[in-house]
Amino acid sequence: MDLLGDWWTPLVLREAFYGIKRFDEFQQELGIARNTLADRLRRLVDEGLMEKRSYQQDPVRYDYVLTEMGSDFFGVLAAMNGWGNRWLAGEQGAPVVFHHDRCGHQGEPEVVCGECKEPMTAADTHPRMGPGYPPHLAERPDIRHRFTP
């Protein structure tokens, strides 16, 4: 959440999924201030979600393209889109739907268990500390309580 703590960052990533690559295109589509966009793109590159690829030498200009890590963010945007379609869509229906190229159908994003492939919901899914949880936090009683079954 530190990386995505502002509303512009997911919007920049969304535009990248729509095929936007160039600074001016991002700026035009989002109506974002140039300095804010430059900051968000720099942060996305620094964090590994996007990379800069030179497409012009004089002056040097770059495309901003999703990395594998950035492409993996699709599930987050799809889940947010699904939530918006369910709770915020007007009478005309969902403003953005997903066409699944593999099966040829229009589908709703769903979070499923990687093992049993059944849907995961807040009612039947609970967080647990993983092996990479910071030890200094894992010792705190309030944190341990959060992860107690």
Side-chain angles (χ1 to χ4, degrees):
M1 288 309 298
D2 287 339
L3 173 62
L4 303 173
D6 68 272
W7 67 298
W8 286 117
T9 303
L11 293 176
V12 170
L13 289 167
R14 179 196 67 190
E15 295 304 311
F17 281 107
Y18 283 149
I20 301 298
K21 296 178 183 172
R22 301 206 169 145
F23 186 95
D24 290 339
E25 293 172 326
F26 282 111
Q27 203 274 324
Q28 179 180 343
E29 292 299 318
L30 294 170
I32 184 174
R34 295 180 71 80
N35 63 327
T36 303
L37 177 58
D39 178 66
R40 296 320 178 272
L41 288 170
R42 183 173 29 258
R43 188 171 358 151
L44 288 165
V45 168
D46 289 347
E47 295 293 335
L49 281 84
M50 298 184 91
E51 67 181 19
K52 288 169 63 171
R53 293 184 187 160
S54 174
Y55 72 87
Q56 179 179 309
Q57 294 306 315
D58 191 23
V60 178
R61 295 182 189 251
Y62 298 95
D63 281 338
Y64 292 87
V65 296
L66 293 166
T67 62
E68 182 180 0
M69 181 184 187
S71 292
D72 231 13
F73 193 75
F74 173 78
V76 176
L77 289 177
M80 291 171 67
N81 187 84
W83 181 86
N85 285 350
R86 179 171 182 191
W87 297 105
L88 304 176
E91 289 182 20
Q92 292 103 354
V96 176
V97 295
F98 290 105
H99 177 83
H100 189 223
D101 296 339
R102 285 190 186 174
C103 72
H105 292 94
Q106 185 172 295
E108 288 294 323
E110 185 176 275
V111 177
V112 298
C113 175
E115 294 297 320
C116 69
K117 308 302 181 207
E118 292 293 319
M120 295 176 75
T121 68
D124 64 13
T125 307
H126 299 89
R128 298 287 186 261
M129 274 189 221
Y133 202 85
H136 71 282
L137 294 176
E139 296 172 8
R140 289 180 27 192
D142 60 321
I143 299 292
R144 282 200 314 261
H145 177 73
R146 181 184 301 169
F147 291 104
T148 301

